[in-house]
Amino acid sequence: MGIIMPPPDFLRDIRNICNENGLVLIFDEIQSGLGRTGKMWAGQHWNVEPDIMCLAKGIAGGVPMGLTVMRSEILDCLKVGEHSSTFAGNPLACAAGSATIDSLTEDNLVSNSESMGRIFKSGLLKIKEKYKIVREVRGLGMMLGVEMRFDVKDILLDGIKNGILLLYSGRNILRLLPPIVMKEEEVNKSLELIEKLIYNEEKRRFG
Ligand SMILES: *Cc1c(COP(=O)(O)O)cnc(C)c1O
């Protein structure tokens, strides 16, 4: 929670500890995977590969689907009948998942996430310079967090009135995971609206 970035060596150190001790490293890329952070997998920012990866949410473009991906030597430990699921292999979900992966590559959505995320973050950083109620802006690609000095509830409600739906992470962080298909115009419009909400909040608190 909170869009907290790991320190630079963190994932590499964890990988090394796993290697040295024969441990399996599992990355939950349910939110961060599939281009969300500007690379296909968030682990790629640190050049670290897990042994098992959990995927869901964005994987089938809105059709419910979850996936566990693993190295074949781990998969081979499972014998027939040891692992099953009621809806596993659902044809509709699999077709949607396959189409999503095609779209990610054919429509260059990962690089779009990277470039739009960069514009989004630099806009948010500019807003932070102007308003003292903003404490920190962090994140990668289209996975951004804006930590405020206060509870964000009124900002979220004000957003509904002003035509932008925002989510929180904890009490005082705005969580921005916008669609990675966004265009620059839409990013700029969002920044405009977010600035307006923050301006309103600062006014409410400090006049
Ligand atoms: C949503 C989410 C889950 C749970 O996924 P379900 O498909 O709802 O079970 C697990 N981990 C992360 C990081 C998530 O965002």
Side-chain angles (χ1 to χ4, degrees):
M1 289 290 270
I3 320 290
I4 297 177
M5 299 281 294
D9 296 330
F10 183 76
L11 294 182
R12 172 63 46 198
D13 288 349
I14 298 270
R15 179 70 272 181
N16 288 338
I17 291 168
C18 289
N19 291 351
E20 285 157 16
N21 295 280
L23 301 172
V24 167
L25 180 59
I26 305 174
F27 282 178
D28 179 341
E29 293 250 18
I30 288 181
Q31 278 193 45
S32 61
L34 297 150
R36 170 56 53 193
T37 66
K39 292 197 186 287
M40 192 65 172
W41 314 117
Q44 290 177 301
H45 289 284
W46 295 274
N47 282 317
V48 178
E49 274 185 23
D51 305 300
I52 298 180
M53 197 157 64
C54 309
L55 303 176
K57 303 215 167 98
I59 181 67
V63 174
M65 185 181 202
L67 217 64
T68 309
V69 187
M70 62 193 86
R71 292 190 191 285
S72 54
E73 59 267 36
I74 299 174
L75 187 62
D76 290 344
C77 297
L78 290 173
K79 305 282 175 296
V80 173
E82 283 182 351
H83 182 77
S84 70
S85 157
T86 306
F87 293 118
N90 176 276
L92 173 67
C94 290
S98 175
T100 300
I101 290 171
D102 286 348
S103 168
L104 280 171
T105 44
E106 285 161 21
D107 304 331
N108 289 319
L109 294 183
V110 181
S111 74
N112 190 65
S113 170
E114 199 267 334
S115 53
M116 291 305 119
R118 196 137 22 113
I119 297 169
F120 219 134
K121 190 172 182 181
S122 78
L124 292 170
L125 285 166
K126 280 195 198 114
I127 294 173
K128 173 184 173 274
E129 293 311 308
K130 284 168 73 176
Y131 301 92
K132 52 183 183 287
I133 59 169
V134 183
R135 183 180 279 154
E136 191 181 30
V137 174
R138 53 186 181 246
L140 284 170
M142 294 289 248
M143 187 170 194
L144 300 168
V146 182
E147 184 170 336
M148 309 296 293
R149 294 186 190 279
F150 305 98
D151 197 311
V152 296
K153 189 177 123 244
D154 291 341
I155 297 180
L156 302 187
L157 294 174
D158 196 24
I160 294 169
K161 280 187 234 145
N162 283 282
I164 183 166
L165 297 176
L166 297 168
L167 257 189
Y168 55 87
S169 181
R171 294 170 70 83
N172 66 325
I173 298 160
L174 296 172
R175 175 161 65 143
L176 305 173
L177 277 83
I180 66 171
V181 295
M182 262 176 136
K183 298 185 177 67
E184 186 165 350
E185 200 185 309
E186 294 157 338
V187 172
N188 288 331
K189 178 77 185 166
S190 308
L191 284 166
E192 231 173 76
L193 287 168
I194 290 168
E195 173 158 7
K196 182 174 175 192
L197 301 182
I198 289 175
Y199 169 84
N200 289 346
E201 174 74 0
E202 193 152 291
K203 250 189 147 190
R204 275 195 297 275
R205 288 189 181 267
F206 297 104

